[in-house]
Amino acid sequence: MNYDEPTQFGSIGLMLALRGPLDLDAATLSGFVIVLLYMRGPIDLVLGAIPDVAQASVAFGRIAALSNGISAHAEADPAAPGEAGLAESIELRDVRYSFGGPGGAGGGFELGPLSVTLAKGETLFIVGENGSGKTTLIKLLLGLYTPTSGQLLLDGEPIGPAQAGAYGELFSAVFSDYFLFEELPRSDPESLDRARSYLKRLEIDHKVDVTETAFSTTDLSTGQRKRLALVHAYLEQRPIMMFDEWAADQDPTFRRVFYTELLPDLKRQGKTVIVVSHDDRYFGVADRIVRLREGQLVRDESVAPPAMQTAV
Ligand SMILES: Nc1ncnc2c1ncn2[C@@H]1O[C@H](COP(=O)(O)OP(=O)(O)OP(=O)(O)O)[C@@H](O)[C@H]1O
Ligand SMILES: [Mg+2]
């Protein structure tokens, strides 16, 4: 919208034409003309601002709708990452996933078709050679990759894009290419106490403390940083925990602590645990082992409880 020159001069012409019928004297007419000439700038300014004001109003409307949506979601599901989020199982059903186009064309990789079910409270080990598809499988289980075909189900209900956000909050994950967050996921006094006890348990309390909202430092060795990532995952207190080759950077003593103390502790707490591992001497810690070979599931077996095993 613009108060342009034809409009301006048209208005002046109209005043001149109406001079006779309206009986205007020269002084009044020149006053009109001067006012019309000088009004152009301010009128242009006002008219030019109208689209911006309209856009701002639409944007404010959208922001209001979005924040209402967020608070409605928070009110409806205050304990989204809570234990109630996983009643029985998560399942991949007849799932395929491919890198490099369908069929793994162009030197790509295809996983599946395969089906895996993870029961609540179970400790599942995913094993197999480098490049066999373990990390791809857990990214599908965590809803980070969308299957090329097949379904991801939570307690028998398919997880689509609308449920993906809440579903993701069921998991705490430490990937092998993890990013270490300095900020604590929770900073209430109880969580700070808990963080200190985890730091002690993971034998890094002499290096790191917690401030009110963050770890005091992340300038640590590779293995120590990974322990800190584990503390972060613990503090999130989510029902399913996933560790992708977590123990790979740990010394033998602490590797043993991880498999024989920390993982059984998580199980006792009722956590569901997914462990990607190459440490075959500790496979006896698993309730169930899934083995992949070149993208195919070649083994899915329960492991006998330690009491029933002749040797672990
Ligand atoms: N982002 C990607 N783009 C293309 N191909 C990928 C990608 N990520 C993985 N791949 C390919 O998919 C296959 C499986 O990879 P994946 O990371 O799942 O294996 P892995 O079993 O976790 O191996 P590792 O034991 O080395 O961690 C590999 O051949 C790999 O080259
Ligand atoms: Mg991997």
Side-chain angles (χ1 to χ4, degrees):
M1 203 180 300
N2 196 6
Y3 182 70
D4 52 13
E5 281 179 10
T7 315
Q8 187 183 24
F9 292 122
S11 310
I12 293 171
L14 189 67
M15 290 309 301
L16 289 173
L18 293 175
R19 183 185 173 188
L22 293 178
D23 195 20
L24 298 173
D25 60 33
T28 311
L29 194 63
S30 59
F32 266 120
V33 170
I34 289 169
V35 167
L36 280 171
L37 285 173
Y38 280 95
M39 265 176 56
R40 183 169 176 204
I43 288 176
D44 263 356
L45 205 69
V46 171
L47 294 181
I50 288 175
D52 292 342
V53 171
Q55 269 186 343
S57 146
V58 170
F60 276 127
R62 285 188 185 154
I63 292 168
L66 188 64
S67 53
N68 284 345
I70 291 169
S71 47
H73 179 262
E75 278 163 24
D77 195 6
E83 286 292 328
L86 172 68
E88 287 175 19
S89 65
I90 55 175
E91 179 185 352
L92 287 173
R93 190 180 291 172
D94 300 324
V95 158
R96 280 175 194 259
Y97 186 81
S98 56
F99 290 111
F109 171 82
E110 174 140 325
L111 182 88
L114 55 78
S115 298
V116 178
T117 305
L118 174 65
K120 181 175 163 56
E122 193 172 39
T123 299
L124 174 72
F125 273 36
I126 298 175
V127 309
E129 291 164 6
N130 295 135
S132 56
K134 303 180 297 297
T135 300
T136 308
L137 178 63
I138 53 177
K139 287 187 175 171
L140 286 160
L141 268 173
L142 269 64
L144 298 173
Y145 287 165
T146 306
T148 319
S149 65
Q151 280 184 314
L152 170 65
L153 303 111
L154 170 65
D155 297 328
E157 296 294 325
I159 299 296
Q163 298 81 26
Y167 177 79
E169 293 189 355
L170 293 171
F171 298 88
S172 282
V174 185
F175 283 95
S176 46
D177 57 351
Y178 68 102
F179 176 82
L180 180 56
F181 291 97
E182 212 161 299
E183 289 78 26
L184 301 173
R186 292 155 189 259
S187 51
D188 53 285
E190 199 187 321
S191 295
L192 292 180
D193 283 352
R194 198 177 289 130
R196 291 200 176 94
S197 79
Y198 289 142
L199 291 171
K200 201 170 163 57
R201 179 90 196 267
L202 293 174
E203 299 171 20
I204 41 173
D205 56 320
H206 61 295
K207 286 278 181 185
V208 193
D209 194 7
V210 283
T211 64
E212 275 179 19
T213 57
F215 293 119
S216 58
T217 181
T218 55
D219 295 332
L220 300 163
S221 76
T222 308
Q224 289 168 338
R225 283 171 62 84
K226 207 111 181 238
R227 294 185 199 186
L228 210 51
L230 184 56
V231 173
H232 194 280
Y234 276 150
L235 289 174
E236 286 183 321
Q237 294 201 284
R238 293 179 173 182
I240 311 175
M241 307 200 64
M242 191 292 299
F243 307 110
D244 189 355
E245 299 184 39
W246 184 86
D249 309 296
Q250 302 301 315
D251 57 57
T253 311
F254 208 81
R255 195 174 288 208
R256 192 190 57 73
V257 170
F258 175 71
Y259 284 108
T260 64
E261 296 179 23
L262 302 184
L263 290 183
D265 266 3
L266 289 174
K267 186 172 174 61
R268 275 191 290 276
Q269 289 168 33
K271 301 281 185 196
T272 307
V273 185
I274 306 168
V275 181
V276 175
S277 174
H278 290 292
D279 295 314
D280 47 3
R281 61 181 300 194
Y282 295 112
F283 285 179
V285 173
D287 294 323
R288 204 151 58 84
I289 298 178
V290 161
R291 181 177 288 278
L292 294 177
R293 185 175 300 139
E294 295 173 9
Q296 299 302 313
L297 197 153
V298 292
R299 179 182 163 198
D300 182 353
E301 296 181 347
S302 296
V303 176
M308 294 172 67
Q309 293 175 17
T310 47
V312 175

